[in-house]
Every structure is written in C-alpha cells, then in structure tokens.
Amino acid sequence: MTLEPLLEINDLCLEYRQNDLVIPVLDRVNLSLAPGKTLGLIGESGCGKTSLAMAVMGLAKSARITGDIRFNGVELTGLKEKELAKFRWNRIALVFQNSQEVFNPVITVGEQVAETLIRHLGLNRAVASQQTASLFKQAGLEPVWQNAYAHQLSGGMRQRVLIAMAVACSPDLLIVDEPFTALDPAAASAMADLIVTLQQHLGFAMILISHAMPAIARMTENIVTLYAGQVIEAGPTQAVLADPCHPYTRGLINACPEFYGYKDLWGIAGTPPSPGSVSGCPFCPRCVQHGPNCSTRRPPLVEAGKSRQVACHKGGITTVLEARGLEKTFDLNGTAVKAVHQADITIKFGEVVALVGPSGSGKSTLAHLLVALEIPDKGRVIFQGTPLTDNRATSCMNGMQLVFQDPTQAVSPRLTVLEAVREPLDIMGWKTQQDRDEKALAALPLVHLSRDTGFLNQPCHALSGGQRQRVSVARALVTDPVLLIADEITAMLDPSAQAHLLRMLKGLQHKQGFSMLFISHDIHLTRKIADRAYVLDQGKIVAKGAGYEVFESTDPSEITFKIQRRV
Ligand code: SF4
C-alpha cells in the first residue's frame, strides 16, 4: 500500500540576495516522504542540504523561496510567521548540527528544553520541568545534566540534548542534520541507536542529513543525492548504494572509508560549482562520461528503473564493455581444456574493476577474449554498444588497450623508447609524424619517465623491468583509451616498483577518468584500487560485486584460499 506523502516538495528554489548579488542555493528540488519513513540526504558540503532543512522548517527567513513545500496537505511556502510557528517544533522539528553555538551559553540546557515545552505546548514550568527530566532519560542522559550549561557537556551529550529538544513536542517529521559529526565511532553508533529507538517509539518520519554512509545505509529507506542545489539521484537506499546510477553518487560511495577500509581513497576529482553557475549538467566538469549535450542542457530527473530516478542525459553511468556467456576451450594434444566457461563481465565508465584468480584460472584468456585477441567459442563482447568481432577497438584512438604482464611481449626490444611509445600511433597512421611525436612525448611524464634525448633514444632492451612496464603503459595511453586492461602488470616487479606502478596507474585513471580492468592473482594489491571485483576460478566467475563485498565478504578466506592453493 502506498502511503500519502507527509512531506511533498515540488520545484523548490531558494536563493539569497545581497544588494544586486543573487546567490542561488536550491534549484527545482523535488522529493517526498511518507509518514514514519526515513529519507537520507547526501552530498558534499555546500550542496544545499542544510538550506533545504531550513526551508522546510520555515527558518530560511532572508531567502527568496519559490515552489511548493506541502506538509500533511498544507502548503507551507507563503504562510505568515504566526501560521508557520504552529508547525515548527510542534509538527516539524530540526536537530541542528551539533555545535555549542546552538545553545544559549548562560541558560542551563534543561531550562532550554523546558522552554520549548512551555512555548509550544503551553505547559506550566513545573510540568515542563518534569517532562524535561523524562526527555533527558529518553535521550540517554541522567536528569542531573539538566542543570549543566552547554560548555560543560561533551559533544555526544550536547547532541542528545538537541535530540531531546527536537522530540519534545512529538513531531510528525524530524530533520536531523549531521548528527554524527565530530563524534567518535562508539558515540556515533550510540547516537544512531538512540535515533532509531526514538523513531520506533514515537513514529515520526525523518530526514537524515549525513556524510556517514553506513548510518545512511542502516537508518534510511530512501536516499536523495543533492549536487549544486539539484536532486541528481533518488531511489531506495539499498539499491542506490549497491548500484548507483549517477557518477557523482558512485564517487561519494567509493570515497567512503567505512565501506572501503583497505582501499586507497581518492575522492571525486574536481570541485563542485556554485549552484546556478552552470547552464548544463552541474556535474559536467567532473564527469568522466560527459557528452556534447552535457555542458549546455540541464538533464531532467527521470525514471531509471524501479522506484529510481536519475538526472543524466545518458540515463546514468554507462557501460563501456559487456561480455556475455564467453566460452573458450583449447585443444591440447587432443585433450579439450576449458579455459573460460560462461563468463559474464560488465565494466562501466570511470570504474576500476578487478579480475582476480589463481594462476591458470583463465584470467589472461578472458582478457584476450575481451580485446578480440582470441575469438570465443560462444558468447559475445560488446564494446561501447558495438559487438566486437575483430581488433578494431584496440587499434583506434579512444578505444581499449591491453597492457601485458611481460612488457617484452608487447614492445620490440630494438625500438627506442620514443619509437616504442609512438608505435601504436604510427600503426594507425594518426595525424602527422610531428603530432605523433608530441603525443608520445606528452605521455612519458604521465608514467614518470624522462623526456631527455638520451633516454628517448635508448633501446628498450636497455631499460629495467619497471621502466619497460611504464613504456608499455605509455604506449596504451597515447591512444587516449576509454578502457585499459592491465593484465598482471605488476607481477614481474619488486614490491617497491609494484607500489609505484599501482599508485601511478590509479592516479592516471582518477585524473583522466578511463575505465580499468585490473587483472591480478594478488588480492592484497588488487583491493587497494578495485571499485568492483570478479573472482575467477578454473575458468568460471565464482564471485562478483562491489570491492568491499567481494574482498570483505562473509568468508574472505575462501577467496584467498582459492587463490593461494593454486599459486
Ligand atoms: S553524462 Fe552528462 S548529464 Fe550525465 S552526469 Fe555526466 S555530465 Fe551530467
């Protein structure tokens, strides 16, 4: 049964004006919340989350607001202050971001809670005082703390007082703004427990504004992502966290240390624009898959699957490569050896996908099938929407490139460094010789190789293993690939060279935004960079999912075991 919304926001715009200066904050925001349900509001600082809360509370008094905020069927925008005051705290309450400044420093915190009861429920002081003691208990505080001043309380205790104050009048809607900020993990967990218990007991609907993704995952049914004052994604929390549609939401999730405790975190490249400062998609300057329309037309928020919405001209994160039902059997002296069996793989724009498995599990064969170096017995590979039947995707600009485990396999030892890096462009006859030289020279510093004439003229056989592998990566990068497949490229390097190469590769991927399939038997190395992962064993994909699910699944030793027992 679908519940009538308690809160419905339509086309909400909010801006501040200072003299002739207009500062837009919220831009055509739509959302709804049913009674008793919880909505998570996520986004980087400055995206408009707190302004939205203030608008719903009727506290954004100096702002110019257009659009609708309907609460229980009553339109709140345009109400006179006297009418609004009937809703504020009685029906809609806000737990402010924890700060000493929220409190009056010269009045005890108990008196401040009691004042709320006196003013909004009309209680006399004696009853309000009794009620305050009860609220303190509900919030997990001994009533004796009523007599304290705000500066005498810890951050966690002040947060509890703010919650006691907000639920004092039994509101139908509670907005909680960053309740876990500045709390240590134990205090944050206790705070989440308290809010959940109070909600179960009092039955209010809740908007939870938080950067804490695990709390959002635990406490909310639905999620809304705000970016530069606009809603860019909305949907059921579990579905959004497991498979975000918008590249920005994915970036927020991938930067979450609680999910990816072992991974090097990189954050989202670039910074958000000021709301209203761009005419097209506000995420365009940071988006790895932006297209021609993106900088000029704002994408509308449209349906993107069951109960999901996304604002993206491409319908959300697009798929770069998709392999379905790949099969490959080799005939070894009359013996049929199944190298790859029913393999399905999807790689999306801008993500790092790991393919892990023991030596001989079929990883390299699968990589060769993906780039059409081998033809599958069954199944198909689709690259950028086109079925792959030959090597066209690997011999063009903006295609895909495979970097081999052994650089001597790919690079002729007789070529000089410059010739080796330039060779893919020479083969495809890209532009002029001078353009090709310039492109090759530009790729060398990306992989931390010198552009000195002496080094450029060195034959590749005179390079160290690490240098040769960097030349291989530079050869791939000169073609500006949208997908890089790195097949055990660190396997022949010492640990220090491995670490340097891995960080360099991830740094390039982060900056340039290409997708990467990182193939390795080394689970410890792989999980430093993988957003998602597939585990291959005896030619079959035996596990897949987000990096944190696969590498920290219920039985991670199973993955390690599968790999170690055959290495
Ligand atoms: S593809 Fe375009 S519309 Fe979609 S998020 Fe990227 S820049 Fe925005």
PDB file of all heavy atoms in Angstrom, residues 455-475:
ATOM      1  N   PHE A 455      67.564   9.468 -23.050  1.00  0.00           N
ATOM      2  CA  PHE A 455      66.639   8.400 -22.646  1.00  0.00           C
ATOM      3  C   PHE A 455      65.713   8.026 -23.806  1.00  0.00           C
ATOM      4  O   PHE A 455      65.449   6.843 -24.054  1.00  0.00           O
ATOM      5  CB  PHE A 455      65.822   8.855 -21.436  1.00  0.00           C
ATOM      6  CG  PHE A 455      64.879   7.797 -20.922  1.00  0.00           C
ATOM      7  CD1 PHE A 455      65.367   6.692 -20.235  1.00  0.00           C
ATOM      8  CD2 PHE A 455      63.517   7.886 -21.155  1.00  0.00           C
ATOM      9  CE1 PHE A 455      64.504   5.696 -19.778  1.00  0.00           C
ATOM     10  CE2 PHE A 455      62.652   6.898 -20.708  1.00  0.00           C
ATOM     11  CZ  PHE A 455      63.149   5.807 -20.008  1.00  0.00           C
ATOM     12  N   LEU A 456      65.254   9.043 -24.537  1.00  0.00           N
ATOM     13  CA  LEU A 456      64.326   8.772 -25.652  1.00  0.00           C
ATOM     14  C   LEU A 456      64.964   7.866 -26.697  1.00  0.00           C
ATOM     15  O   LEU A 456      64.286   7.074 -27.350  1.00  0.00           O
ATOM     16  CB  LEU A 456      63.898  10.089 -26.322  1.00  0.00           C
ATOM     17  CG  LEU A 456      63.060  11.045 -25.485  1.00  0.00           C
ATOM     18  CD1 LEU A 456      62.788  12.330 -26.257  1.00  0.00           C
ATOM     19  CD2 LEU A 456      61.750  10.396 -25.081  1.00  0.00           C
ATOM     20  N   ASN A 457      66.296   7.995 -26.838  1.00  0.00           N
ATOM     21  CA  ASN A 457      66.983   7.220 -27.879  1.00  0.00           C
ATOM     22  C   ASN A 457      67.520   5.881 -27.378  1.00  0.00           C
ATOM     23  O   ASN A 457      68.147   5.140 -28.129  1.00  0.00           O
ATOM     24  CB  ASN A 457      68.134   8.054 -28.470  1.00  0.00           C
ATOM     25  CG  ASN A 457      67.577   9.238 -29.255  1.00  0.00           C
ATOM     26  OD1 ASN A 457      66.489   9.139 -29.825  1.00  0.00           O
ATOM     27  ND2 ASN A 457      68.285  10.356 -29.250  1.00  0.00           N
ATOM     28  N   GLN A 458      67.264   5.593 -26.117  1.00  0.00           N
ATOM     29  CA  GLN A 458      67.732   4.299 -25.587  1.00  0.00           C
ATOM     30  C   GLN A 458      66.905   3.163 -26.176  1.00  0.00           C
ATOM     31  O   GLN A 458      65.679   3.280 -26.264  1.00  0.00           O
ATOM     32  CB  GLN A 458      67.536   4.265 -24.072  1.00  0.00           C
ATOM     33  CG  GLN A 458      68.777   4.584 -23.285  1.00  0.00           C
ATOM     34  CD  GLN A 458      68.562   4.295 -21.808  1.00  0.00           C
ATOM     35  OE1 GLN A 458      68.051   3.239 -21.462  1.00  0.00           O
ATOM     36  NE2 GLN A 458      68.947   5.232 -20.977  1.00  0.00           N
ATOM     37  N   PRO A 459      67.544   2.052 -26.548  1.00  0.00           N
ATOM     38  CA  PRO A 459      66.740   0.903 -26.974  1.00  0.00           C
ATOM     39  C   PRO A 459      66.032   0.286 -25.766  1.00  0.00           C
ATOM     40  O   PRO A 459      66.555   0.324 -24.649  1.00  0.00           O
ATOM     41  CB  PRO A 459      67.780  -0.062 -27.558  1.00  0.00           C
ATOM     42  CG  PRO A 459      69.082   0.348 -26.962  1.00  0.00           C
ATOM     43  CD  PRO A 459      68.990   1.808 -26.624  1.00  0.00           C
ATOM     44  N   CYS A 460      64.851  -0.256 -25.995  1.00  0.00           N
ATOM     45  CA  CYS A 460      64.042  -0.759 -24.868  1.00  0.00           C
ATOM     46  C   CYS A 460      64.729  -1.901 -24.124  1.00  0.00           C
ATOM     47  O   CYS A 460      64.488  -2.091 -22.928  1.00  0.00           O
ATOM     48  CB  CYS A 460      62.669  -1.202 -25.369  1.00  0.00           C
ATOM     49  SG  CYS A 460      61.632   0.204 -25.787  1.00  0.00           S
ATOM     50  N   HIS A 461      65.608  -2.663 -24.817  1.00  0.00           N
ATOM     51  CA  HIS A 461      66.237  -3.791 -24.116  1.00  0.00           C
ATOM     52  C   HIS A 461      67.185  -3.310 -23.019  1.00  0.00           C
ATOM     53  O   HIS A 461      67.557  -4.062 -22.126  1.00  0.00           O
ATOM     54  CB  HIS A 461      66.957  -4.729 -25.107  1.00  0.00           C
ATOM     55  CG  HIS A 461      68.152  -4.116 -25.782  1.00  0.00           C
ATOM     56  ND1 HIS A 461      69.350  -3.923 -25.150  1.00  0.00           N
ATOM     57  CD2 HIS A 461      68.321  -3.646 -27.051  1.00  0.00           C
ATOM     58  CE1 HIS A 461      70.214  -3.366 -25.984  1.00  0.00           C
ATOM     59  NE2 HIS A 461      69.602  -3.179 -27.149  1.00  0.00           N
ATOM     60  N   ALA A 462      67.572  -2.000 -23.079  1.00  0.00           N
ATOM     61  CA  ALA A 462      68.493  -1.478 -22.064  1.00  0.00           C
ATOM     62  C   ALA A 462      67.748  -0.972 -20.827  1.00  0.00           C
ATOM     63  O   ALA A 462      68.372  -0.523 -19.868  1.00  0.00           O
ATOM     64  CB  ALA A 462      69.322  -0.344 -22.667  1.00  0.00           C
ATOM     65  N   LEU A 463      66.410  -1.033 -20.837  1.00  0.00           N
ATOM     66  CA  LEU A 463      65.635  -0.498 -19.707  1.00  0.00           C
ATOM     67  C   LEU A 463      65.453  -1.554 -18.619  1.00  0.00           C
ATOM     68  O   LEU A 463      65.504  -2.761 -18.891  1.00  0.00           O
ATOM     69  CB  LEU A 463      64.244  -0.045 -20.187  1.00  0.00           C
ATOM     70  CG  LEU A 463      64.201   1.011 -21.293  1.00  0.00           C
ATOM     71  CD1 LEU A 463      62.748   1.296 -21.673  1.00  0.00           C
ATOM     72  CD2 LEU A 463      64.893   2.292 -20.858  1.00  0.00           C
ATOM     73  N   SER A 464      65.188  -1.072 -17.397  1.00  0.00           N
ATOM     74  CA  SER A 464      64.858  -2.007 -16.314  1.00  0.00           C
ATOM     75  C   SER A 464      63.441  -2.538 -16.546  1.00  0.00           C
ATOM     76  O   SER A 464      62.679  -1.978 -17.360  1.00  0.00           O
ATOM     77  CB  SER A 464      64.905  -1.274 -14.970  1.00  0.00           C
ATOM     78  OG  SER A 464      63.820  -0.361 -14.902  1.00  0.00           O
ATOM     79  N   GLY A 465      63.072  -3.588 -15.796  1.00  0.00           N
ATOM     80  CA  GLY A 465      61.727  -4.163 -15.933  1.00  0.00           C
ATOM     81  C   GLY A 465      60.653  -3.126 -15.643  1.00  0.00           C
ATOM     82  O   GLY A 465      59.653  -3.022 -16.359  1.00  0.00           O
ATOM     83  N   GLY A 466      60.871  -2.326 -14.582  1.00  0.00           N
ATOM     84  CA  GLY A 466      59.886  -1.311 -14.205  1.00  0.00           C
ATOM     85  C   GLY A 466      59.746  -0.253 -15.283  1.00  0.00           C
ATOM     86  O   GLY A 466      58.640   0.191 -15.604  1.00  0.00           O
ATOM     87  N   GLN A 467      60.899   0.169 -15.856  1.00  0.00           N
ATOM     88  CA  GLN A 467      60.851   1.191 -16.918  1.00  0.00           C
ATOM     89  C   GLN A 467      60.123   0.651 -18.148  1.00  0.00           C
ATOM     90  O   GLN A 467      59.330   1.350 -18.770  1.00  0.00           O
ATOM     91  CB  GLN A 467      62.270   1.618 -17.295  1.00  0.00           C
ATOM     92  CG  GLN A 467      62.921   2.533 -16.270  1.00  0.00           C
ATOM     93  CD  GLN A 467      64.373   2.826 -16.604  1.00  0.00           C
ATOM     94  OE1 GLN A 467      65.106   1.941 -17.055  1.00  0.00           O
ATOM     95  NE2 GLN A 467      64.792   4.062 -16.377  1.00  0.00           N
ATOM     96  N   ARG A 468      60.401  -0.608 -18.480  1.00  0.00           N
ATOM     97  CA  ARG A 468      59.737  -1.184 -19.666  1.00  0.00           C
ATOM     98  C   ARG A 468      58.224  -1.262 -19.467  1.00  0.00           C
ATOM     99  O   ARG A 468      57.451  -1.032 -20.387  1.00  0.00           O
ATOM    100  CB  ARG A 468      60.284  -2.585 -19.938  1.00  0.00           C
ATOM    101  CG  ARG A 468      61.371  -2.548 -20.993  1.00  0.00           C
ATOM    102  CD  ARG A 468      61.592  -3.912 -21.537  1.00  0.00           C
ATOM    103  NE  ARG A 468      62.915  -4.361 -21.138  1.00  0.00           N
ATOM    104  CZ  ARG A 468      63.426  -5.518 -21.487  1.00  0.00           C
ATOM    105  NH1 ARG A 468      62.725  -6.371 -22.196  1.00  0.00           N
ATOM    106  NH2 ARG A 468      64.634  -5.853 -21.130  1.00  0.00           N
ATOM    107  N   GLN A 469      57.830  -1.578 -18.223  1.00  0.00           N
ATOM    108  CA  GLN A 469      56.392  -1.661 -17.980  1.00  0.00           C
ATOM    109  C   GLN A 469      55.759  -0.272 -18.109  1.00  0.00           C
ATOM    110  O   GLN A 469      54.648  -0.122 -18.609  1.00  0.00           O
ATOM    111  CB  GLN A 469      56.143  -2.261 -16.582  1.00  0.00           C
ATOM    112  CG  GLN A 469      54.763  -2.817 -16.356  1.00  0.00           C
ATOM    113  CD  GLN A 469      54.317  -3.839 -17.390  1.00  0.00           C
ATOM    114  OE1 GLN A 469      54.047  -3.504 -18.540  1.00  0.00           O
ATOM    115  NE2 GLN A 469      54.240  -5.090 -16.987  1.00  0.00           N
ATOM    116  N   ARG A 470      56.497   0.760 -17.679  1.00  0.00           N
ATOM    117  CA  ARG A 470      55.986   2.131 -17.834  1.00  0.00           C
ATOM    118  C   ARG A 470      55.882   2.518 -19.307  1.00  0.00           C
ATOM    119  O   ARG A 470      54.952   3.216 -19.713  1.00  0.00           O
ATOM    120  CB  ARG A 470      56.898   3.123 -17.108  1.00  0.00           C
ATOM    121  CG  ARG A 470      56.697   3.106 -15.620  1.00  0.00           C
ATOM    122  CD  ARG A 470      57.843   3.771 -14.892  1.00  0.00           C
ATOM    123  NE  ARG A 470      57.760   3.428 -13.488  1.00  0.00           N
ATOM    124  CZ  ARG A 470      57.147   4.180 -12.578  1.00  0.00           C
ATOM    125  NH1 ARG A 470      56.606   5.314 -12.939  1.00  0.00           N
ATOM    126  NH2 ARG A 470      57.077   3.794 -11.329  1.00  0.00           N
ATOM    127  N   VAL A 471      56.850   2.059 -20.100  1.00  0.00           N
ATOM    128  CA  VAL A 471      56.773   2.317 -21.546  1.00  0.00           C
ATOM    129  C   VAL A 471      55.511   1.649 -22.108  1.00  0.00           C
ATOM    130  O   VAL A 471      54.783   2.231 -22.923  1.00  0.00           O
ATOM    131  CB  VAL A 471      58.048   1.799 -22.261  1.00  0.00           C
ATOM    132  CG1 VAL A 471      57.852   1.767 -23.777  1.00  0.00           C
ATOM    133  CG2 VAL A 471      59.245   2.678 -21.914  1.00  0.00           C
ATOM    134  N   SER A 472      55.217   0.435 -21.634  1.00  0.00           N
ATOM    135  CA  SER A 472      54.008  -0.266 -22.103  1.00  0.00           C
ATOM    136  C   SER A 472      52.752   0.525 -21.762  1.00  0.00           C
ATOM    137  O   SER A 472      51.824   0.628 -22.574  1.00  0.00           O
ATOM    138  CB  SER A 472      53.885  -1.642 -21.449  1.00  0.00           C
ATOM    139  OG  SER A 472      54.954  -2.435 -21.809  1.00  0.00           O
ATOM    140  N   VAL A 473      52.732   1.073 -20.539  1.00  0.00           N
ATOM    141  CA  VAL A 473      51.550   1.853 -20.135  1.00  0.00           C
ATOM    142  C   VAL A 473      51.460   3.122 -20.985  1.00  0.00           C
ATOM    143  O   VAL A 473      50.377   3.503 -21.450  1.00  0.00           O
ATOM    144  CB  VAL A 473      51.609   2.193 -18.623  1.00  0.00           C
ATOM    145  CG1 VAL A 473      50.447   3.104 -18.227  1.00  0.00           C
ATOM    146  CG2 VAL A 473      51.584   0.919 -17.781  1.00  0.00           C
ATOM    147  N   ALA A 474      52.613   3.769 -21.232  1.00  0.00           N
ATOM    148  CA  ALA A 474      52.612   4.993 -22.053  1.00  0.00           C
ATOM    149  C   ALA A 474      52.105   4.691 -23.466  1.00  0.00           C
ATOM    150  O   ALA A 474      51.365   5.480 -24.051  1.00  0.00           O
ATOM    151  CB  ALA A 474      54.020   5.584 -22.108  1.00  0.00           C
ATOM    152  N   ARG A 475      52.506   3.537 -24.015  1.00  0.00           N
ATOM    153  CA  ARG A 475      52.024   3.126 -25.351  1.00  0.00           C
ATOM    154  C   ARG A 475      50.502   3.030 -25.377  1.00  0.00           C
ATOM    155  O   ARG A 475      49.859   3.357 -26.374  1.00  0.00           O
ATOM    156  CB  ARG A 475      52.578   1.732 -25.708  1.00  0.00           C
ATOM    157  CG  ARG A 475      53.971   1.690 -26.220  1.00  0.00           C
ATOM    158  CD  ARG A 475      54.461   0.249 -26.232  1.00  0.00           C
ATOM    159  NE  ARG A 475      53.660  -0.633 -27.065  1.00  0.00           N
ATOM    160  CZ  ARG A 475      53.848  -0.821 -28.368  1.00  0.00           C
ATOM    161  NH1 ARG A 475      54.816  -0.162 -28.979  1.00  0.00           N
ATOM    162  NH2 ARG A 475      53.090  -1.652 -29.048  1.00  0.00           N
TER     163      ARG A 475
END
